[in-house]
Amino acid sequence: MRKEKWMIAIISAVLSVGVLAGCSSSPNNGDNTDDSSSSKKTEIKEENTSDAKKDKTVDDGNGNSVTVDEDGVSAKTSDGAEVEVKKDGSVTADDGKGNSVDKDGNVQTSDGAKRVVNPDGSVTVDDGNGTVVTTDKNGKVTVENK
């Protein structure tokens, strides 16, 4: 499960950087000139919210931003996706389309599938179509068809 969280964090960070670095509203005509009528500027804000806490936010002006603070990293995109990686390693993510993962590793998809980490350490996966698979903390798998 820890490996899954890190994979999500890495993928989210790469996607966020890709969105912020590679988005341009004007096509490149190949001669390295800029034909756009308005220039886009990435803005970096340093917010001093208290004497001890400083936040740094990178915003591309198109609704995409990444914030780094003492608690971790968070990113938001113009299409509603959000991801947060805390320094303790916990990850929360929501793609803005009904797919999400919370800090406990619980997953919800837009088509009704769910993955839940239970308090006893077992994991339950419901595919949304009547099949529920539970794996206990010892690796025993139970499949139920409803």
PDB file of all heavy atoms in Angstrom, residues 4-44:
ATOM      1  N   GLU A   4       1.949   2.055  -3.459  1.00  0.00           N
ATOM      2  CA  GLU A   4       0.891   2.661  -4.250  1.00  0.00           C
ATOM      3  C   GLU A   4       0.812   4.162  -3.992  1.00  0.00           C
ATOM      4  O   GLU A   4       0.658   4.944  -4.928  1.00  0.00           O
ATOM      5  CB  GLU A   4      -0.448   2.025  -3.912  1.00  0.00           C
ATOM      6  CG  GLU A   4      -0.600   0.604  -4.389  1.00  0.00           C
ATOM      7  CD  GLU A   4      -1.880  -0.035  -3.869  1.00  0.00           C
ATOM      8  OE1 GLU A   4      -2.712   0.667  -3.268  1.00  0.00           O
ATOM      9  OE2 GLU A   4      -2.023  -1.246  -4.084  1.00  0.00           O
ATOM     10  N   LYS A   5       0.925   4.565  -2.737  1.00  0.00           N
ATOM     11  CA  LYS A   5       0.857   5.983  -2.408  1.00  0.00           C
ATOM     12  C   LYS A   5       1.998   6.747  -3.062  1.00  0.00           C
ATOM     13  O   LYS A   5       1.806   7.826  -3.599  1.00  0.00           O
ATOM     14  CB  LYS A   5       0.892   6.194  -0.894  1.00  0.00           C
ATOM     15  CG  LYS A   5      -0.397   5.822  -0.205  1.00  0.00           C
ATOM     16  CD  LYS A   5      -0.322   6.145   1.271  1.00  0.00           C
ATOM     17  CE  LYS A   5      -1.620   5.799   1.958  1.00  0.00           C
ATOM     18  NZ  LYS A   5      -1.596   6.138   3.380  1.00  0.00           N
ATOM     19  N   TRP A   6       3.197   6.201  -3.009  1.00  0.00           N
ATOM     20  CA  TRP A   6       4.332   6.880  -3.618  1.00  0.00           C
ATOM     21  C   TRP A   6       4.192   6.938  -5.137  1.00  0.00           C
ATOM     22  O   TRP A   6       4.542   7.925  -5.755  1.00  0.00           O
ATOM     23  CB  TRP A   6       5.647   6.213  -3.223  1.00  0.00           C
ATOM     24  CG  TRP A   6       6.077   6.680  -1.880  1.00  0.00           C
ATOM     25  CD1 TRP A   6       6.087   5.968  -0.722  1.00  0.00           C
ATOM     26  CD2 TRP A   6       6.503   7.995  -1.517  1.00  0.00           C
ATOM     27  NE1 TRP A   6       6.488   6.742   0.327  1.00  0.00           N
ATOM     28  CE2 TRP A   6       6.756   7.999  -0.135  1.00  0.00           C
ATOM     29  CE3 TRP A   6       6.689   9.162  -2.228  1.00  0.00           C
ATOM     30  CZ2 TRP A   6       7.190   9.122   0.539  1.00  0.00           C
ATOM     31  CZ3 TRP A   6       7.131  10.285  -1.547  1.00  0.00           C
ATOM     32  CH2 TRP A   6       7.374  10.251  -0.183  1.00  0.00           C
ATOM     33  N   MET A   7       3.644   5.869  -5.734  1.00  0.00           N
ATOM     34  CA  MET A   7       3.432   5.883  -7.187  1.00  0.00           C
ATOM     35  C   MET A   7       2.428   6.966  -7.561  1.00  0.00           C
ATOM     36  O   MET A   7       2.633   7.693  -8.530  1.00  0.00           O
ATOM     37  CB  MET A   7       2.942   4.512  -7.678  1.00  0.00           C
ATOM     38  CG  MET A   7       4.003   3.432  -7.611  1.00  0.00           C
ATOM     39  SD  MET A   7       5.471   3.820  -8.575  1.00  0.00           S
ATOM     40  CE  MET A   7       4.787   3.688 -10.202  1.00  0.00           C
ATOM     41  N   ILE A   8       1.362   7.091  -6.786  1.00  0.00           N
ATOM     42  CA  ILE A   8       0.370   8.125  -7.046  1.00  0.00           C
ATOM     43  C   ILE A   8       1.006   9.498  -6.887  1.00  0.00           C
ATOM     44  O   ILE A   8       0.792  10.395  -7.698  1.00  0.00           O
ATOM     45  CB  ILE A   8      -0.845   7.964  -6.103  1.00  0.00           C
ATOM     46  CG1 ILE A   8      -1.635   6.702  -6.490  1.00  0.00           C
ATOM     47  CG2 ILE A   8      -1.750   9.193  -6.163  1.00  0.00           C
ATOM     48  CD1 ILE A   8      -2.701   6.334  -5.495  1.00  0.00           C
ATOM     49  N   ALA A   9       1.806   9.671  -5.842  1.00  0.00           N
ATOM     50  CA  ALA A   9       2.463  10.957  -5.611  1.00  0.00           C
ATOM     51  C   ALA A   9       3.404  11.311  -6.757  1.00  0.00           C
ATOM     52  O   ALA A   9       3.417  12.444  -7.238  1.00  0.00           O
ATOM     53  CB  ALA A   9       3.235  10.927  -4.292  1.00  0.00           C
ATOM     54  N   ILE A  10       4.182  10.346  -7.213  1.00  0.00           N
ATOM     55  CA  ILE A  10       5.128  10.593  -8.294  1.00  0.00           C
ATOM     56  C   ILE A  10       4.387  10.921  -9.583  1.00  0.00           C
ATOM     57  O   ILE A  10       4.715  11.889 -10.273  1.00  0.00           O
ATOM     58  CB  ILE A  10       6.067   9.385  -8.485  1.00  0.00           C
ATOM     59  CG1 ILE A  10       7.016   9.277  -7.281  1.00  0.00           C
ATOM     60  CG2 ILE A  10       6.854   9.491  -9.777  1.00  0.00           C
ATOM     61  CD1 ILE A  10       7.796   7.995  -7.206  1.00  0.00           C
ATOM     62  N   ILE A  11       3.370  10.132  -9.904  1.00  0.00           N
ATOM     63  CA  ILE A  11       2.598  10.379 -11.126  1.00  0.00           C
ATOM     64  C   ILE A  11       1.921  11.740 -11.057  1.00  0.00           C
ATOM     65  O   ILE A  11       1.935  12.500 -12.026  1.00  0.00           O
ATOM     66  CB  ILE A  11       1.565   9.251 -11.344  1.00  0.00           C
ATOM     67  CG1 ILE A  11       2.297   7.961 -11.721  1.00  0.00           C
ATOM     68  CG2 ILE A  11       0.562   9.629 -12.427  1.00  0.00           C
ATOM     69  CD1 ILE A  11       1.430   6.731 -11.729  1.00  0.00           C
ATOM     70  N   SER A  12       1.359  12.068  -9.911  1.00  0.00           N
ATOM     71  CA  SER A  12       0.695  13.358  -9.753  1.00  0.00           C
ATOM     72  C   SER A  12       1.669  14.515  -9.915  1.00  0.00           C
ATOM     73  O   SER A  12       1.360  15.507 -10.566  1.00  0.00           O
ATOM     74  CB  SER A  12       0.026  13.435  -8.386  1.00  0.00           C
ATOM     75  OG  SER A  12      -0.947  12.434  -8.266  1.00  0.00           O
ATOM     76  N   ALA A  13       2.839  14.384  -9.314  1.00  0.00           N
ATOM     77  CA  ALA A  13       3.839  15.448  -9.432  1.00  0.00           C
ATOM     78  C   ALA A  13       4.300  15.618 -10.871  1.00  0.00           C
ATOM     79  O   ALA A  13       4.419  16.740 -11.368  1.00  0.00           O
ATOM     80  CB  ALA A  13       5.030  15.147  -8.524  1.00  0.00           C
ATOM     81  N   VAL A  14       4.526  14.498 -11.566  1.00  0.00           N
ATOM     82  CA  VAL A  14       4.956  14.571 -12.967  1.00  0.00           C
ATOM     83  C   VAL A  14       3.872  15.212 -13.818  1.00  0.00           C
ATOM     84  O   VAL A  14       4.147  16.072 -14.656  1.00  0.00           O
ATOM     85  CB  VAL A  14       5.319  13.163 -13.498  1.00  0.00           C
ATOM     86  CG1 VAL A  14       5.476  13.163 -14.991  1.00  0.00           C
ATOM     87  CG2 VAL A  14       6.600  12.674 -12.834  1.00  0.00           C
ATOM     88  N   LEU A  15       2.618  14.814 -13.608  1.00  0.00           N
ATOM     89  CA  LEU A  15       1.521  15.404 -14.376  1.00  0.00           C
ATOM     90  C   LEU A  15       1.377  16.894 -14.083  1.00  0.00           C
ATOM     91  O   LEU A  15       1.147  17.688 -14.995  1.00  0.00           O
ATOM     92  CB  LEU A  15       0.214  14.672 -14.070  1.00  0.00           C
ATOM     93  CG  LEU A  15       0.105  13.262 -14.635  1.00  0.00           C
ATOM     94  CD1 LEU A  15      -1.176  12.611 -14.146  1.00  0.00           C
ATOM     95  CD2 LEU A  15       0.142  13.276 -16.148  1.00  0.00           C
ATOM     96  N   SER A  16       1.524  17.266 -12.827  1.00  0.00           N
ATOM     97  CA  SER A  16       1.415  18.679 -12.469  1.00  0.00           C
ATOM     98  C   SER A  16       2.509  19.505 -13.129  1.00  0.00           C
ATOM     99  O   SER A  16       2.254  20.567 -13.681  1.00  0.00           O
ATOM    100  CB  SER A  16       1.498  18.851 -10.953  1.00  0.00           C
ATOM    101  OG  SER A  16       0.424  18.215 -10.338  1.00  0.00           O
ATOM    102  N   VAL A  17       3.717  19.007 -13.087  1.00  0.00           N
ATOM    103  CA  VAL A  17       4.830  19.716 -13.719  1.00  0.00           C
ATOM    104  C   VAL A  17       4.616  19.780 -15.224  1.00  0.00           C
ATOM    105  O   VAL A  17       4.835  20.809 -15.858  1.00  0.00           O
ATOM    106  CB  VAL A  17       6.184  19.045 -13.378  1.00  0.00           C
ATOM    107  CG1 VAL A  17       7.305  19.610 -14.216  1.00  0.00           C
ATOM    108  CG2 VAL A  17       6.484  19.223 -11.903  1.00  0.00           C
ATOM    109  N   GLY A  18       4.149  18.681 -15.810  1.00  0.00           N
ATOM    110  CA  GLY A  18       3.887  18.659 -17.250  1.00  0.00           C
ATOM    111  C   GLY A  18       2.825  19.660 -17.643  1.00  0.00           C
ATOM    112  O   GLY A  18       2.948  20.357 -18.655  1.00  0.00           O
ATOM    113  N   VAL A  19       1.769  19.753 -16.848  1.00  0.00           N
ATOM    114  CA  VAL A  19       0.701  20.705 -17.138  1.00  0.00           C
ATOM    115  C   VAL A  19       1.217  22.128 -17.040  1.00  0.00           C
ATOM    116  O   VAL A  19       0.966  22.958 -17.904  1.00  0.00           O
ATOM    117  CB  VAL A  19      -0.486  20.496 -16.165  1.00  0.00           C
ATOM    118  CG1 VAL A  19      -1.441  21.664 -16.204  1.00  0.00           C
ATOM    119  CG2 VAL A  19      -1.220  19.212 -16.501  1.00  0.00           C
ATOM    120  N   LEU A  20       1.982  22.405 -15.985  1.00  0.00           N
ATOM    121  CA  LEU A  20       2.477  23.765 -15.797  1.00  0.00           C
ATOM    122  C   LEU A  20       3.565  24.145 -16.798  1.00  0.00           C
ATOM    123  O   LEU A  20       3.634  25.267 -17.253  1.00  0.00           O
ATOM    124  CB  LEU A  20       2.999  23.937 -14.375  1.00  0.00           C
ATOM    125  CG  LEU A  20       1.923  23.935 -13.291  1.00  0.00           C
ATOM    126  CD1 LEU A  20       2.579  23.974 -11.928  1.00  0.00           C
ATOM    127  CD2 LEU A  20       0.990  25.105 -13.457  1.00  0.00           C
ATOM    128  N   ALA A  21       4.391  23.185 -17.174  1.00  0.00           N
ATOM    129  CA  ALA A  21       5.510  23.508 -18.060  1.00  0.00           C
ATOM    130  C   ALA A  21       5.142  23.449 -19.534  1.00  0.00           C
ATOM    131  O   ALA A  21       5.681  24.198 -20.349  1.00  0.00           O
ATOM    132  CB  ALA A  21       6.663  22.547 -17.790  1.00  0.00           C
ATOM    133  N   GLY A  22       4.237  22.571 -19.916  1.00  0.00           N
ATOM    134  CA  GLY A  22       3.998  22.335 -21.328  1.00  0.00           C
ATOM    135  C   GLY A  22       2.765  22.962 -21.915  1.00  0.00           C
ATOM    136  O   GLY A  22       2.515  22.827 -23.109  1.00  0.00           O
ATOM    137  N   CYS A  23       1.976  23.667 -21.143  1.00  0.00           N
ATOM    138  CA  CYS A  23       0.745  24.231 -21.679  1.00  0.00           C
ATOM    139  C   CYS A  23       1.002  25.570 -22.327  1.00  0.00           C
ATOM    140  O   CYS A  23       1.614  26.447 -21.761  1.00  0.00           O
ATOM    141  CB  CYS A  23      -0.289  24.418 -20.568  1.00  0.00           C
ATOM    142  SG  CYS A  23      -0.924  22.859 -19.969  1.00  0.00           S
ATOM    143  N   SER A  24       0.505  25.712 -23.529  1.00  0.00           N
ATOM    144  CA  SER A  24       0.584  26.979 -24.236  1.00  0.00           C
ATOM    145  C   SER A  24      -0.683  27.127 -25.042  1.00  0.00           C
ATOM    146  O   SER A  24      -1.124  26.194 -25.703  1.00  0.00           O
ATOM    147  CB  SER A  24       1.806  27.004 -25.151  1.00  0.00           C
ATOM    148  OG  SER A  24       1.794  28.181 -25.921  1.00  0.00           O
ATOM    149  N   SER A  25      -1.286  28.308 -25.033  1.00  0.00           N
ATOM    150  CA  SER A  25      -2.536  28.500 -25.745  1.00  0.00           C
ATOM    151  C   SER A  25      -2.314  28.808 -27.218  1.00  0.00           C
ATOM    152  O   SER A  25      -3.239  28.787 -28.006  1.00  0.00           O
ATOM    153  CB  SER A  25      -3.338  29.622 -25.106  1.00  0.00           C
ATOM    154  OG  SER A  25      -2.631  30.830 -25.197  1.00  0.00           O
ATOM    155  N   SER A  26      -1.088  29.119 -27.603  1.00  0.00           N
ATOM    156  CA  SER A  26      -0.828  29.423 -29.010  1.00  0.00           C
ATOM    157  C   SER A  26       0.089  28.380 -29.609  1.00  0.00           C
ATOM    158  O   SER A  26       1.043  27.943 -28.983  1.00  0.00           O
ATOM    159  CB  SER A  26      -0.196  30.811 -29.140  1.00  0.00           C
ATOM    160  OG  SER A  26       1.035  30.823 -28.459  1.00  0.00           O
ATOM    161  N   PRO A  27      -0.203  27.938 -30.841  1.00  0.00           N
ATOM    162  CA  PRO A  27       0.643  26.938 -31.478  1.00  0.00           C
ATOM    163  C   PRO A  27       1.982  27.531 -31.895  1.00  0.00           C
ATOM    164  O   PRO A  27       2.080  28.713 -32.221  1.00  0.00           O
ATOM    165  CB  PRO A  27      -0.177  26.505 -32.696  1.00  0.00           C
ATOM    166  CG  PRO A  27      -1.058  27.671 -32.988  1.00  0.00           C
ATOM    167  CD  PRO A  27      -1.332  28.330 -31.671  1.00  0.00           C
ATOM    168  N   ASN A  28       3.008  26.723 -31.898  1.00  0.00           N
ATOM    169  CA  ASN A  28       4.331  27.154 -32.337  1.00  0.00           C
ATOM    170  C   ASN A  28       4.391  27.005 -33.842  1.00  0.00           C
ATOM    171  O   ASN A  28       4.141  25.952 -34.391  1.00  0.00           O
ATOM    172  CB  ASN A  28       5.393  26.281 -31.654  1.00  0.00           C
ATOM    173  CG  ASN A  28       6.797  26.749 -31.954  1.00  0.00           C
ATOM    174  OD1 ASN A  28       7.024  27.568 -32.836  1.00  0.00           O
ATOM    175  ND2 ASN A  28       7.753  26.215 -31.201  1.00  0.00           N
ATOM    176  N   ASN A  29       4.754  28.090 -34.545  1.00  0.00           N
ATOM    177  CA  ASN A  29       4.796  28.032 -35.996  1.00  0.00           C
ATOM    178  C   ASN A  29       6.128  27.509 -36.524  1.00  0.00           C
ATOM    179  O   ASN A  29       6.343  27.493 -37.726  1.00  0.00           O
ATOM    180  CB  ASN A  29       4.459  29.396 -36.600  1.00  0.00           C
ATOM    181  CG  ASN A  29       5.441  30.472 -36.172  1.00  0.00           C
ATOM    182  OD1 ASN A  29       6.485  30.172 -35.605  1.00  0.00           O
ATOM    183  ND2 ASN A  29       5.103  31.718 -36.432  1.00  0.00           N
ATOM    184  N   GLY A  30       7.022  27.104 -35.646  1.00  0.00           N
ATOM    185  CA  GLY A  30       8.262  26.463 -36.053  1.00  0.00           C
ATOM    186  C   GLY A  30       9.436  27.400 -36.250  1.00  0.00           C
ATOM    187  O   GLY A  30      10.568  26.966 -36.385  1.00  0.00           O
ATOM    188  N   ASP A  31       9.230  28.708 -36.316  1.00  0.00           N
ATOM    189  CA  ASP A  31      10.353  29.616 -36.527  1.00  0.00           C
ATOM    190  C   ASP A  31      10.782  30.322 -35.248  1.00  0.00           C
ATOM    191  O   ASP A  31      11.469  31.330 -35.290  1.00  0.00           O
ATOM    192  CB  ASP A  31      10.025  30.639 -37.617  1.00  0.00           C
ATOM    193  CG  ASP A  31       8.875  31.559 -37.243  1.00  0.00           C
ATOM    194  OD1 ASP A  31       8.330  31.412 -36.126  1.00  0.00           O
ATOM    195  OD2 ASP A  31       8.526  32.429 -38.067  1.00  0.00           O
ATOM    196  N   ASN A  32      10.366  29.763 -34.103  1.00  0.00           N
ATOM    197  CA  ASN A  32      10.743  30.265 -32.780  1.00  0.00           C
ATOM    198  C   ASN A  32      10.314  31.706 -32.536  1.00  0.00           C
ATOM    199  O   ASN A  32      10.955  32.441 -31.805  1.00  0.00           O
ATOM    200  CB  ASN A  32      12.248  30.112 -32.542  1.00  0.00           C
ATOM    201  CG  ASN A  32      12.644  28.669 -32.421  1.00  0.00           C
ATOM    202  OD1 ASN A  32      11.860  27.849 -31.947  1.00  0.00           O
ATOM    203  ND2 ASN A  32      13.836  28.341 -32.871  1.00  0.00           N
ATOM    204  N   THR A  33       9.262  32.140 -33.185  1.00  0.00           N
ATOM    205  CA  THR A  33       8.694  33.445 -32.888  1.00  0.00           C
ATOM    206  C   THR A  33       7.365  33.241 -32.198  1.00  0.00           C
ATOM    207  O   THR A  33       6.688  32.245 -32.403  1.00  0.00           O
ATOM    208  CB  THR A  33       8.485  34.282 -34.166  1.00  0.00           C
ATOM    209  OG1 THR A  33       7.591  33.582 -35.030  1.00  0.00           O
ATOM    210  CG2 THR A  33       9.802  34.539 -34.869  1.00  0.00           C
ATOM    211  N   ASP A  34       6.980  34.188 -31.415  1.00  0.00           N
ATOM    212  CA  ASP A  34       5.736  34.101 -30.674  1.00  0.00           C
ATOM    213  C   ASP A  34       4.699  34.972 -31.370  1.00  0.00           C
ATOM    214  O   ASP A  34       4.841  36.188 -31.424  1.00  0.00           O
ATOM    215  CB  ASP A  34       5.957  34.571 -29.236  1.00  0.00           C
ATOM    216  CG  ASP A  34       4.723  34.371 -28.371  1.00  0.00           C
ATOM    217  OD1 ASP A  34       3.739  33.794 -28.869  1.00  0.00           O
ATOM    218  OD2 ASP A  34       4.771  34.780 -27.203  1.00  0.00           O
ATOM    219  N   ASP A  35       3.663  34.325 -31.928  1.00  0.00           N
ATOM    220  CA  ASP A  35       2.618  35.057 -32.628  1.00  0.00           C
ATOM    221  C   ASP A  35       1.415  35.343 -31.750  1.00  0.00           C
ATOM    222  O   ASP A  35       0.399  35.827 -32.233  1.00  0.00           O
ATOM    223  CB  ASP A  35       2.149  34.264 -33.861  1.00  0.00           C
ATOM    224  CG  ASP A  35       3.240  34.164 -34.912  1.00  0.00           C
ATOM    225  OD1 ASP A  35       4.119  35.034 -34.934  1.00  0.00           O
ATOM    226  OD2 ASP A  35       3.186  33.202 -35.698  1.00  0.00           O
ATOM    227  N   SER A  36       1.503  35.036 -30.462  1.00  0.00           N
ATOM    228  CA  SER A  36       0.350  35.246 -29.589  1.00  0.00           C
ATOM    229  C   SER A  36       0.184  36.729 -29.305  1.00  0.00           C
ATOM    230  O   SER A  36       1.144  37.483 -29.213  1.00  0.00           O
ATOM    231  CB  SER A  36       0.499  34.457 -28.295  1.00  0.00           C
ATOM    232  OG  SER A  36       1.592  34.937 -27.560  1.00  0.00           O
ATOM    233  N   SER A  37      -1.058  37.140 -29.174  1.00  0.00           N
ATOM    234  CA  SER A  37      -1.330  38.544 -28.940  1.00  0.00           C
ATOM    235  C   SER A  37      -1.155  38.929 -27.472  1.00  0.00           C
ATOM    236  O   SER A  37      -0.870  40.069 -27.171  1.00  0.00           O
ATOM    237  CB  SER A  37      -2.749  38.893 -29.406  1.00  0.00           C
ATOM    238  OG  SER A  37      -3.667  38.087 -28.703  1.00  0.00           O
ATOM    239  N   SER A  38      -1.342  37.979 -26.578  1.00  0.00           N
ATOM    240  CA  SER A  38      -1.145  38.274 -25.160  1.00  0.00           C
ATOM    241  C   SER A  38      -0.129  37.297 -24.599  1.00  0.00           C
ATOM    242  O   SER A  38      -0.187  36.114 -24.859  1.00  0.00           O
ATOM    243  CB  SER A  38      -2.468  38.159 -24.402  1.00  0.00           C
ATOM    244  OG  SER A  38      -2.915  36.833 -24.421  1.00  0.00           O
ATOM    245  N   SER A  39       0.804  37.809 -23.849  1.00  0.00           N
ATOM    246  CA  SER A  39       1.821  36.925 -23.286  1.00  0.00           C
ATOM    247  C   SER A  39       1.308  36.329 -21.988  1.00  0.00           C
ATOM    248  O   SER A  39       0.638  36.983 -21.210  1.00  0.00           O
ATOM    249  CB  SER A  39       3.122  37.685 -23.045  1.00  0.00           C
ATOM    250  OG  SER A  39       2.902  38.708 -22.108  1.00  0.00           O
ATOM    251  N   LYS A  40       1.601  35.063 -21.771  1.00  0.00           N
ATOM    252  CA  LYS A  40       1.237  34.365 -20.543  1.00  0.00           C
ATOM    253  C   LYS A  40       2.459  34.366 -19.646  1.00  0.00           C
ATOM    254  O   LYS A  40       3.570  34.175 -20.104  1.00  0.00           O
ATOM    255  CB  LYS A  40       0.822  32.932 -20.857  1.00  0.00           C
ATOM    256  CG  LYS A  40      -0.328  32.873 -21.805  1.00  0.00           C
ATOM    257  CD  LYS A  40      -1.503  32.320 -21.117  1.00  0.00           C
ATOM    258  CE  LYS A  40      -2.612  32.171 -22.112  1.00  0.00           C
ATOM    259  NZ  LYS A  40      -3.830  32.662 -21.697  1.00  0.00           N
ATOM    260  N   LYS A  41       2.237  34.546 -18.379  1.00  0.00           N
ATOM    261  CA  LYS A  41       3.346  34.637 -17.461  1.00  0.00           C
ATOM    262  C   LYS A  41       3.087  33.747 -16.255  1.00  0.00           C
ATOM    263  O   LYS A  41       2.032  33.807 -15.655  1.00  0.00           O
ATOM    264  CB  LYS A  41       3.501  36.081 -17.015  1.00  0.00           C
ATOM    265  CG  LYS A  41       4.801  36.418 -16.386  1.00  0.00           C
ATOM    266  CD  LYS A  41       4.860  37.896 -16.131  1.00  0.00           C
ATOM    267  CE  LYS A  41       6.260  38.335 -15.931  1.00  0.00           C
ATOM    268  NZ  LYS A  41       6.344  39.758 -15.659  1.00  0.00           N
ATOM    269  N   THR A  42       4.051  32.887 -15.946  1.00  0.00           N
ATOM    270  CA  THR A  42       3.942  32.079 -14.746  1.00  0.00           C
ATOM    271  C   THR A  42       4.316  32.950 -13.565  1.00  0.00           C
ATOM    272  O   THR A  42       5.319  33.640 -13.581  1.00  0.00           O
ATOM    273  CB  THR A  42       4.882  30.862 -14.827  1.00  0.00           C
ATOM    274  OG1 THR A  42       4.499  30.073 -15.941  1.00  0.00           O
ATOM    275  CG2 THR A  42       4.812  30.032 -13.571  1.00  0.00           C
ATOM    276  N   GLU A  43       3.489  32.916 -12.567  1.00  0.00           N
ATOM    277  CA  GLU A  43       3.688  33.778 -11.412  1.00  0.00           C
ATOM    278  C   GLU A  43       4.074  32.935 -10.206  1.00  0.00           C
ATOM    279  O   GLU A  43       3.490  31.897  -9.947  1.00  0.00           O
ATOM    280  CB  GLU A  43       2.381  34.515 -11.120  1.00  0.00           C
ATOM    281  CG  GLU A  43       2.474  35.506 -10.005  1.00  0.00           C
ATOM    282  CD  GLU A  43       1.160  36.243  -9.810  1.00  0.00           C
ATOM    283  OE1 GLU A  43       0.322  36.261 -10.709  1.00  0.00           O
ATOM    284  OE2 GLU A  43       0.999  36.799  -8.721  1.00  0.00           O
ATOM    285  N   ILE A  44       5.082  33.374  -9.487  1.00  0.00           N
ATOM    286  CA  ILE A  44       5.501  32.713  -8.258  1.00  0.00           C
ATOM    287  C   ILE A  44       5.192  33.655  -7.109  1.00  0.00           C
ATOM    288  O   ILE A  44       5.649  34.794  -7.087  1.00  0.00           O
ATOM    289  CB  ILE A  44       7.000  32.354  -8.287  1.00  0.00           C
ATOM    290  CG1 ILE A  44       7.285  31.410  -9.443  1.00  0.00           C
ATOM    291  CG2 ILE A  44       7.418  31.751  -6.954  1.00  0.00           C
ATOM    292  CD1 ILE A  44       8.739  31.093  -9.616  1.00  0.00           C
TER     293      ILE A  44
END
